[in-house]
Amino acid sequence: MNDMTPTREQRTAALEGMGCKRKRVEDIRFTQGKGNYVDDVKLPGMLHGDFVRSPHAHARVKAIKADEALKVPGVLAVITAETLKTVNLAWMPTLAGDVQMVLADGKVLFQNQEVAFVVATDRYAADDGINKVEVEYEPLPPLIDPFKAMDHNAPVLREDLADKTTGAHGPRKHHNHIFEWTVGDKDLTDAAFRKAEVTIKEMISYHRTHPSPLETCQCVCSFDKVKGELTIWGTFQAPHVIRTVVSLIAKLPEQKIHVIAPDIGGGFGNKVGAYPGYICAAVASIVTGKPVKWVEDRIENLTATSFARDYHMTTEVAATKEGKVTGLRVHVLADHGAFDACADPSKWPAGFFNIVTGSYDFPTAHLVVDGVYTNKAPGGVAYRCSFRVTEAAYCIERAMDILAQKLGMDPAELRLKNFIKPEQFPYHSALGWEYDSGDYHTAMRKMMETTDYAALRKEQASRRAAFKRGETREIMGLGVSFFTEIVGAGPSKNCDILGIAMFDSCEIRMHPTGAGIARMGTKSQGQGHETTWAQIIATEIGIPADNIQVEEGNTDTAPYGLGTYGSRSTPVAGAAIAMAARKIKAKAQMIAAYKLEVHEDDLEFDIDGFRVKGLPEKFMSMKDICWAAYNSVPPGMEPGLEAVSYYDPPNMTYPFGAYLCVMDIDVDTGVYKVRRFYALDDCGTRINPMIIEGQVHGGLTEAFAIAMGQEIRYDDTGNVVTGSFMDFFMPTAVETPHWETDFTVTPSPHHPIGAKGVGESPNVGGVPAFSNAVNDAFSFLGSTHIQMPHDFWRNWKAAKNLGAVA
Amino acid sequence: MAKTHVTMKVDGAEVEGLVEPRTLLVHFIRENLQLTGTHVGCETTHCGACTVDLDGMSVKSCTVFAVQADGSEITTIEGMANPDGSLSALQEGFRMMHGLQCGFCTPGMIMRAHRLLQENPSPTEQDIRMGMSGNLCRCTGYQNIIRAIQYAAAKLNNVEFKEAAE
Amino acid sequence: MIPGPFSYHRPASLADAVKLLADLGDDARPLAGGHSLVPMMKLRLATPAHLVDLHDVADLKGIRHYGSTIVIGAMTTQHELLVSGEIRQSLPILQEAAALIADPQVRYRGTIGGNVANGDPGNDMPALMMVLGANFRLSGPGGEREVAASEFYQGAYFTALEPGEILTSISIPVPPAGHGYAYEKLKRKVGDYATAAAAVVLTMAGGKVATCAIGLTNLHETPLLATDAANAVIGTSLDAATLKQAAAAAEAIMAPAADTRGPVEYRKHVGGIMVMRALQRAAGRAV
């Protein structure tokens, strides 16, 4: 070998494969303002649509008068439910098996519900038009409190369902009831509670909030009358599903629909569902023969498309007096708003909430979820979470702290005592899941050692004493959270959306020069797929990541996939990518064997090519194999080098983590300060540590916002009082704490590269860490549970209720 | 409504257009000039995605009328690369430090950071947090945006960038 | 969120601006920084037919020192206040408060005149103006007049401004050298209005408060001068009991609205806390 021969390390580094902090490919265009987001799409003759919305939470629509609006210069059409009825689109199916009004049909059921769609030559004229549409309403009594939804005298919200005693998920108990979902063994659980030495019970609410990506939901629909084809550019986390849904509801052949999700400015679950804006823009384009753009404004986004959470969880834990848990019983009252538009896999009306046993070895558990209608916006999306996992993690992590308090045990010690042990994996939970892998004790102990948890507890004790002596007005809280996520929906045996199994896909096509293109059924909204997907391929087939072009989001070119949400991209599409790459590699091996004149079995893969075992100088690089694939393949072999994989995962993956929040609260004002936040995540094999760290930072910031104030709040009349960024808590760089990140690696045993997914872990694990910190701070004054969000005034109120403020 | 003729210098080029008085500067930039790097995130002057540099000030272009900018000099994200087309120190810093994810807030972040560094070439972390507090990001948690700006400051000051210890 | 149509005017002189506003009447609104007005227009909560942009009126700009008075042109931005050596020297409390208004971008556009004149109880400068004993110079069809800040605010968005009048400048007597000052503002996040805020300017003599003025922001439909609270601390060394007494006296005149920042009792309570903290910090600065 001469000096110019690269070392193995240099060859590996040149690939920029898995484990490398590869800089992002996307950033070249994003940092120059050259991204291409939906509102950047501009087509000749394009029109703009905008909604007239209801000021009332519940009202009958007596009349819609569009005459004056149609006189506004530039206004071309005003579409109402009556218009939509002519094409049978006044209502649309939801992902949860319900139906939803596209435009108000006879009544409105939540404030800012879509009532009419004004189409105009530009967005200014459209706005002028909506201000001239006159709607006559007859207000009806609003139902805002979900706890009153099933009162016998509660108003009937859904007149369309009035005589239906069965919904998509079984019997309905009341005219405002949607479903009851039960899991687990009731008798065994009841028995555990009867025998329990210690029990706790608490109603733990997770308030309504909103994903609110910085780019709102938007689309451009363009119908070509001559070809009979509809092209939709939209903010879609799941473009293929959108194409299928549009085909089914608009009765257009699926091959005549082209859905393109260009660059997306954040999703966080907000961009999974189908919204009235998409339907109206499509209908408007069909009616006018021109492209129609719809861009939601921020107030519309917060108040009309897709809230998250709103779960009210009555939680009971049974335990021995030594602190071993023996049973879990949870009843959830789920406020779904006016239509059940939850974006869950079809058979899962409460998502994967049955992960609520968390990281603990509960011998038995029983869960009941009741979904109800209220006069609030529909949604129930997974805001940076895998289908109600955030709610479940919050529920169990608060409950464990409450139990620790009752037992007089340290919350970390209680958790260590009840963790599923490493040797118990694969672990079958009482509520039906098979956890793939985990080493919870190691993660927890690493967190405790790194943060010097014991010293923090000592400091807390001395500060509590000082508070009681009147020497300080600040109290200190330690928020421990140990979460187990369930991501990667999902195996076809469990998961489908409208009947389509939740697989994902990858197609790789290598070109003669050793470069290639790879397309997936996922869609990045900031996760950096163009960067990381190429890294998986680079390591698998030995071609530099820079030579792999990654494309997603165009349903004409990408293979069918279920999209990006629920941290499913790495567990599902990541696996498909590895499997497609391995097919490429297998064919490459045959080509190399032919060219090197040896048997395939005599070859071994070595970083970036194949080598003859025992003859290191006989080597053929992948680059050369690519050329050979188009030039001299073995007799009988088809030329070319491409592969497709559709991956149906055998199981979910179960990332986990140990978080600690150290917080100080001034009882006189309720002002808190996050002194320290430590997050240890175990997401299995790490593809790009830089991107993982970024995901954790972002998810923690969302968790911080949610726990400490981010809320969609309604007043008694159904008026949203937090409908803009003034009142909906969006922390700036000033409020946002500093984040410390750490990790352990416990690969998934069933995933081709052992990766588990990480995007949502920090939101799932972060919220209980913050909330536990607040609750821990106040616990010595006698409280057991203080509801979120923990904004300043509520902290002060808690202090006052506990007698800490005069 | 009668339209008004406006002229301004945008990213070094003299531009003109006919606008309604109510036309917001951000729409003039995005629709008339087709410079779509400047984004709209909230429309209520909170998020800063629409930030441009207007006569040496960082402004939220969703809350300024185009007619108000008549005769002004404006820099948008499209005018931020080096003259040879390479990434400027800030753009490079955002990429190297992973200061962006979805990229939607990034143009506003870079434009604001540009003015911040003009006024304060060696900001502390706290200076950056305060100076960037008119820009919201939903993806990054700000920590890597701060590093990106520190990276750019070091590069512009010709000093070695030392990554903040974790 | 698109403003309704309007005609745009950009007078070059104060006389022209005043004449335009007088001629156009109620359909016209002056446009200063626009960061309160434009969002209202986007929601069509304000639909003026004419906007009279004051940016070209040179007479409305600048910070000048006349003897013991500082005169600040109405179109002076918060950013200009923050970088002004004159303000740093003579009226540092204005810089402390300006840095807490909105965010950096808004401060480049937002003006002191707009902040004090639009009558929004959430604005920070009005309480400071009352504490500092400022006078507002108003110009209108009937000529020019001066109104004391303490007489200017009549209700939420109602001020002493007559139709067609604009505020042109603010005169502030320079507080004595060695005065103590503080603006304590509790807010949920950058960009928010105060949940409660208190402005204090005082002088100390022999360890005791010699003079004191206390102003309150967003705790009533107008900014308030907490005179009883100020009187309660004069002659004291700000011991704990006196601070509590001052807070109670201030709370007695507060009548905030319940909103997403908190219920009335909370806003009043933290209003009292802001008063105590501002008094302590101001006293600590006085020499």
Side-chain angles (χ1 to χ4, degrees):
Chain A
M1 286 193 204
N2 62 39
D3 291 346
M4 299 302 286
T5 308
T7 64
R8 291 179 58 81
E9 288 71 26
Q10 286 168 332
R11 284 163 57 207
T12 303
L15 296 178
E16 292 198 283
M18 283 192 278
C20 163
K21 293 184 177 182
R22 184 178 184 223
K23 303 305 173 208
R24 297 201 329 165
V25 176
E26 296 89 338
D27 297 355
I28 301 289
R29 62 178 189 277
F30 289 156
T31 55
Q32 299 186 79
K34 298 294 186 192
N36 182 37
Y37 300 87
V38 173
D39 200 13
D40 303 342
V41 174
K42 197 170 181 182
L43 302 176
M46 189 172 74
L47 307 176
H48 287 255
D50 204 349
F51 282 111
V52 176
R53 292 177 181 272
S54 167
H56 301 285
H58 194 196
R60 215 163 284 292
V61 178
K62 307 292 280 183
I64 301 173
K65 293 180 195 144
D67 314 6
E68 291 302 310
L70 287 165
K71 289 181 197 161
V72 171
V75 172
L76 302 174
V78 177
I79 293 172
T80 65
E82 297 310 313
T83 327
L84 295 178
K85 280 178 186 172
T86 65
V87 285
N88 207 20
L89 282 172
W91 292 67
M92 62 179 184
T94 71
L95 294 176
D98 196 0
V99 288
Q100 176 179 352
M101 290 178 204
V102 174
L103 290 170
D105 184 13
K107 71 194 275 202
V108 288
L109 289 162
F110 64 94
Q111 189 188 48
N112 279 359
Q113 185 178 336
E114 301 80 1
V115 174
F117 191 67
V118 173
V119 185
T121 48
D122 62 63
R123 63 183 95 213
Y124 284 65
D127 202 293
D128 291 343
I130 62 175
N131 282 285
K132 292 287 185 186
V133 175
E134 290 171 44
V135 185
E136 193 185 322
Y137 297 98
E138 177 194 322
L140 297 168
L143 170 62
I144 305 306
D145 181 352
F147 287 92
K148 293 180 179 158
M150 292 200 282
D151 286 358
H152 75 277
N153 59 350
V156 177
L157 304 194
R158 292 289 299 276
E159 287 166 353
D160 59 306
L161 304 177
D163 55 352
K164 294 209 167 99
T165 53
T166 302
H169 304 286
R172 300 171 67 220
K173 297 186 273 204
H174 181 277
H175 54 256
N176 293 326
H177 186 237
I178 309 171
F179 64 85
E180 180 190 284
W181 189 60
T182 60
V183 193
D185 189 325
K186 182 172 190 310
D187 294 341
L188 207 57
T189 306
D190 288 348
F193 274 87
R194 276 195 304 275
K195 282 185 279 183
E197 293 168 345
V198 181
T199 61
I200 60 123
K201 180 174 184 178
E202 194 70 53
M203 208 291 285
I204 298 167
S205 275
Y206 195 142
H207 57 282
R208 181 174 277 237
T209 182
H210 194 281
S212 201
L214 202 55
E215 176 201 41
T216 58
C217 298
Q218 30 200 274
C219 70
V220 177
C221 294
S222 180
F223 185 69
D224 182 326
K225 275 190 176 161
V226 176
K227 293 183 182 163
E229 294 187 0
L230 178 65
T231 306
I232 307 176
W233 290 261
T235 47
F236 304 135
Q237 293 180 233
H240 298 271
V241 177
I242 292 283
R243 186 186 64 195
T244 302
V245 168
V246 170
S247 173
L248 292 173
I249 67 176
K251 307 281 188 284
L252 282 170
E254 202 167 355
Q255 80 278 14
K256 299 274 190 185
I257 303 167
H258 314 286
V259 173
I260 300 164
D263 289 325
I264 297 184
F268 316 120
N270 197 178
K271 294 168 179 172
V272 173
Y275 300 119
Y278 307 155
I279 307 290
C280 288
V283 170
S285 181
I286 292 168
V287 169
T288 61
K290 300 212 166 136
V292 176
K293 181 183 275 187
W294 169 68
V295 175
E296 193 183 48
D297 72 32
R298 180 57 57 187
I299 293 170
E300 296 176 300
N301 176 253
L302 288 170
T303 58
T305 48
S306 283
F307 77 91
R309 325 295 194 233
D310 218 344
Y311 259 34
H312 308 279
M313 307 171 288
T314 302
T315 310
E316 297 170 83
V317 180
T320 66
K321 55 183 189 301
E322 290 78 33
K324 185 79 189 72
V325 295
T326 55
L328 175 68
R329 192 155 57 193
V330 182
H331 177 269
V332 180
L333 181 66
D335 185 341
H336 284 219
F339 307 98
D340 187 10
C342 288
D344 295 318
S346 297
K347 294 189 207 71
W348 300 85
F352 303 153
F353 189 84
N354 55 328
I355 192 75
V356 69
T357 52
S359 313
Y360 313 104
D361 188 13
F362 276 95
T364 180
H366 187 242
L367 163 67
V368 179
V369 183
D370 275 303
V372 295
Y373 292 120
T374 59
N375 287 120
K376 298 181 193 167
V381 298
Y383 170 7
R384 204 176 186 135
C385 109
S386 180
F387 313 119
R388 305 295 187 180
V389 177
T390 27
E391 289 92 326
Y394 182 63
C395 176
I396 189 63
E397 287 306 291
R398 273 302 302 131
M400 290 304 276
D401 263 29
I402 294 166
L403 177 64
Q405 188 181 352
K406 179 145 188 180
L407 291 164
M409 279 179 75
D410 182 274
E413 290 303 325
L414 178 74
R415 284 171 171 81
L416 282 164
K417 190 165 204 154
N418 287 289
F419 279 150
I420 300 160
K421 296 180 179 67
E423 61 273 20
Q424 286 177 281
F425 291 92
Y427 171 81
H428 293 266
S429 78
L431 293 177
W433 293 112
E434 182 188 309
Y435 293 26
D436 60 348
S437 63
D439 183 352
Y440 298 168
H441 296 81
T442 299
M444 187 71 156
R445 291 200 176 106
K446 187 172 183 185
M447 178 278 273
M448 293 170 76
E449 281 160 25
T450 312
T451 59
D452 202 350
Y453 179 77
L456 287 166
R457 281 289 176 205
K458 267 187 204 154
E459 182 194 343
Q460 183 186 43
S462 72
R463 291 184 50 166
R464 283 176 169 179
F467 183 87
K468 288 193 165 166
R469 291 193 302 268
E471 293 164 12
T472 175
R473 299 294 289 157
E474 263 191 4
I475 55 177
M476 171 181 172
L478 295 182
V480 176
S481 162
F482 196 101
F483 66 94
T484 294
E485 260 234 278
I486 168 169
V487 307
S492 55
K493 64 184 180 217
N494 302 116
C495 299
D496 70 273
I497 287 184
L498 303 173
I500 300 165
M502 293 182 73
F503 58 83
D504 225 293
S505 61
C506 171
E507 172 193 295
I508 303 171
R509 187 180 305 162
M510 296 308 300
H511 306 319
T513 58
I517 185 160
R519 296 183 170 116
M520 297 80 184
T522 45
K523 177 60 210 170
S524 180
Q525 313 119 42
Q527 294 88 341
H529 290 173
E530 289 168 53
T531 305
T532 51
W533 289 167
Q535 289 181 260
I536 298 175
I537 297 169
T539 295
E540 289 288 341
I541 69 170
I543 289 287
D546 277 349
N547 292 5
I548 305 293
Q549 171 87 16
V550 171
E551 270 187 19
E552 300 175 311
N554 184 334
T555 56
D556 282 355
T557 53
Y560 205 109
L562 275 283
T564 294
Y565 45 87
S567 283
R568 66 183 300 282
S569 296
T570 294
V572 191
I577 294 163
M579 298 310 272
R582 287 172 193 181
K583 289 182 188 177
I584 298 262
K585 194 161 134 187
K587 183 170 180 181
Q589 187 165 0
M590 289 191 266
I591 296 169
Y594 174 67
K595 297 293 286 182
L596 294 168
E597 299 177 330
V598 294
H599 191 274
E600 264 176 72
D601 295 345
D602 294 331
L603 291 176
E604 60 186 359
F605 189 71
D606 180 26
I607 301 172
D608 50 9
F610 283 96
R611 188 180 301 287
V612 179
K613 292 174 189 165
L615 290 171
E617 71 283 3
K618 290 203 80 176
F619 177 83
M620 188 169 186
S621 71
M622 279 301 295
K623 187 169 188 281
D624 292 342
I625 296 170
C626 288
W627 184 261
Y630 290 87
N631 162 287
S632 51
V633 294
M637 178 185 273
E638 288 180 16
L641 192 55
E642 61 181 80
V644 183
S645 172
Y646 280 75
Y647 188 81
D648 181 5
N651 191 6
M652 305 283 186
T653 64
Y654 296 76
F656 58 93
Y659 291 1
L660 182 73
C661 174
V662 186
M663 190 184 291
D664 299 305
I665 303 171
D666 168 6
V667 293
D668 287 325
T669 56
V671 173
Y672 55 80
K673 189 164 181 353
V674 176
R675 197 200 305 175
R676 186 169 184 191
F677 197 103
Y678 170 91
L680 178 149
D681 275 280
D682 190 320
C683 59
T685 303
R686 293 154 59 82
I687 300 167
N688 183 327
M690 174 190 85
I691 284 181
I692 291 172
E693 187 198 47
Q695 289 286 312
V696 174
H697 288 176
L700 291 175
T701 304
E702 289 180 349
F704 164 69
I706 295 167
M708 306 314 288
Q710 189 178 81
E711 176 186 24
I712 296 292
R713 192 165 137 207
Y714 288 79
D715 67 15
D716 294 343
T717 63
N719 180 45
V720 182
V721 298
T722 54
S724 81
F725 283 171
M726 174 63 85
D727 290 309
F728 183 77
F729 180 51
M730 289 291 239
T732 73
V734 170
E735 294 79 39
T736 302
H738 179 83
W739 310 117
E740 293 171 53
T741 57
D742 203 347
F743 63 97
T744 55
V745 178
T746 311
S748 168
H750 62 77
H751 189 278
I753 58 170
K756 289 189 168 186
V758 74
E760 295 160 344
S761 294
N763 195 324
V764 171
V767 170
F770 289 108
S771 185
N772 280 346
V774 173
N775 276 285
D776 185 62
F778 281 109
S779 63
F780 79 113
L781 298 171
S783 75
T784 51
H785 177 67
I786 300 162
Q787 302 287 13
M788 287 195 292
H790 304 294
D791 45 7
F792 298 159
W793 75 264
R794 287 179 173 101
N795 289 341
W796 172 80
K797 188 86 185 161
K800 188 170 160 68
N801 290 344
L802 294 166
V805 180
Chain B
M1 185 59 59
K3 292 199 172 181
T4 306
H5 184 252
V6 293
T7 59
M8 47 192 107
K9 194 171 183 179
V10 177
D11 297 333
E14 296 291 344
V15 300
E16 57 179 340
L18 279 175
V19 295
E20 280 189 78
R22 63 171 170 164
T23 301
L24 297 164
L25 179 59
V26 68
H27 289 142
F28 179 72
I29 291 169
R30 288 180 50 81
E31 311 283 341
N32 295 52
L33 305 182
Q34 305 229 19
L35 294 170
T36 54
T38 303
H39 296 152
V40 177
C42 74
E43 302 174 80
T44 51
T45 332
H46 289 102
C47 80
C50 64
T51 300
V52 299
D53 206 67
L54 171 72
D55 292 336
M57 302 177 289
S58 311
V59 303
K60 296 186 177 179
S61 60
C62 79
T63 310
V64 177
F65 296 113
V67 285
Q68 291 183 280
D70 189 20
S72 298
E73 187 164 346
I74 290 172
T75 309
T76 77
I77 188 66
E78 276 102 328
M80 283 300 289
N82 292 327
D84 66 358
S86 60
L87 296 185
S88 63
L90 267 167
Q91 292 169 319
E92 182 183 307
F94 271 73
R95 180 163 191 250
M96 296 305 287
M97 294 295 109
H98 192 30
L100 67 151
Q101 292 180 29
C102 81
F104 200 77
C105 76
T106 311
M109 287 284 177
I110 290 177
M111 293 318 300
R112 172 60 200 142
H114 166 68
R115 183 53 45 198
L116 175 67
L117 291 183
Q118 297 287 312
E119 294 178 356
N120 182 358
S122 302
T124 63
E125 176 178 338
Q126 196 53 25
D127 291 342
I128 296 173
R129 286 188 183 266
M130 295 300 287
M132 299 302 293
S133 62
N135 294 71
L136 296 176
C137 172
R138 293 288 288 144
C139 299
T140 65
Y142 304 104
Q143 201 153 309
N144 287 342
I145 290 177
I146 293 160
R147 286 184 189 159
I149 296 167
Q150 290 169 331
Y151 175 103
K155 182 158 186 180
L156 293 167
N157 292 334
N158 280 319
V159 299
E160 192 193 346
F161 172 62
K162 291 198 184 64
E163 241 187 285
E166 261 300 299
Chain C
M1 301 235 336
I2 302 289
F6 60 85
S7 297
Y8 178 74
H9 309 269
R10 192 161 177 157
S13 72
L14 182 56
D16 287 351
V18 168
K19 182 166 189 314
L20 266 170
L21 285 165
D23 291 350
L24 297 169
D26 285 350
D27 286 344
R29 291 281 296 269
L31 177 65
H35 279 51
S36 299
L37 181 58
V38 177
M40 298 290 274
M41 290 172 66
K42 287 191 193 180
L43 293 167
R44 308 229 178 178
L45 295 172
T47 52
H50 299 271
L51 282 187
V52 178
D53 189 343
L54 303 176
H55 276 90
D56 279 355
V57 181
D59 291 351
L60 298 177
K61 299 197 182 190
I63 299 165
R64 295 174 197 85
H65 204 140
Y66 295 107
S68 60
T69 303
I70 301 270
V71 177
I72 305 173
M75 288 296 285
T76 304
T77 65
Q78 312 294 357
H79 180 78
E80 286 163 346
L81 290 178
L82 283 168
V83 297
S84 160
E86 187 64 65
I87 299 294
R88 182 171 304 117
Q89 182 75 27
S90 307
L91 291 164
I93 192 172
L94 290 193
Q95 291 194 337
E96 184 162 302
L100 298 171
I101 294 173
D103 63 47
Q105 285 95 316
V106 175
R107 292 195 289 266
Y108 285 107
R109 298 291 291 180
T111 64
I112 190 167
N115 197 285
V116 301
N118 89 345
D120 184 337
N123 286 349
D124 293 287
M125 287 293 175
L128 271 73
M129 296 300 133
M130 294 171 95
V131 161
L132 292 165
N135 282 297
F136 300 153
R137 193 157 193 85
L138 314 181
S139 200
E144 295 210 317
R145 63 186 180 119
E146 289 229 343
V147 175
S150 56
E151 308 283 319
F152 186 74
Y153 299 99
Q154 300 170 347
Y157 301 100
F158 282 97
T159 66
L161 279 172
E162 295 291 340
E165 260 186 335
I166 56 173
L167 185 148
T168 57
S169 67
I170 298 161
S171 324
I172 304 174
V174 176
H179 75 281
Y181 65 91
Y183 189 58
E184 281 286 338
K185 179 178 180 180
L186 178 66
K187 56 181 176 173
R188 295 172 296 184
K189 55 167 280 188
V190 169
D192 196 13
Y193 291 109
T195 302
V200 167
V201 172
L202 52 68
T203 55
M204 302 289 285
K208 294 198 186 321
V209 178
T211 63
C212 178
I214 302 172
L216 306 173
T217 297
N218 217 16
L219 289 163
H220 195 274
E221 61 173 3
T222 63
L224 294 175
L225 211 45
T227 312
D228 289 348
N231 288 339
V233 301
I234 291 173
T236 75
S237 52
L238 290 174
D239 54 286
T242 303
L243 287 170
K244 280 201 171 144
Q245 210 186 328
E251 283 179 51
I253 61 168
M254 296 174 195
D259 63 13
T260 50
R261 294 170 187 86
V264 170
E265 58 164 350
Y266 172 70
R267 296 188 61 188
K268 287 175 69 167
H269 173 82
V270 291
I273 301 276
M274 293 302 107
V275 167
M276 292 196 281
R277 291 183 182 176
L279 282 167
Q280 285 177 295
R281 214 152 50 78
R285 276 174 168 158
V287 286

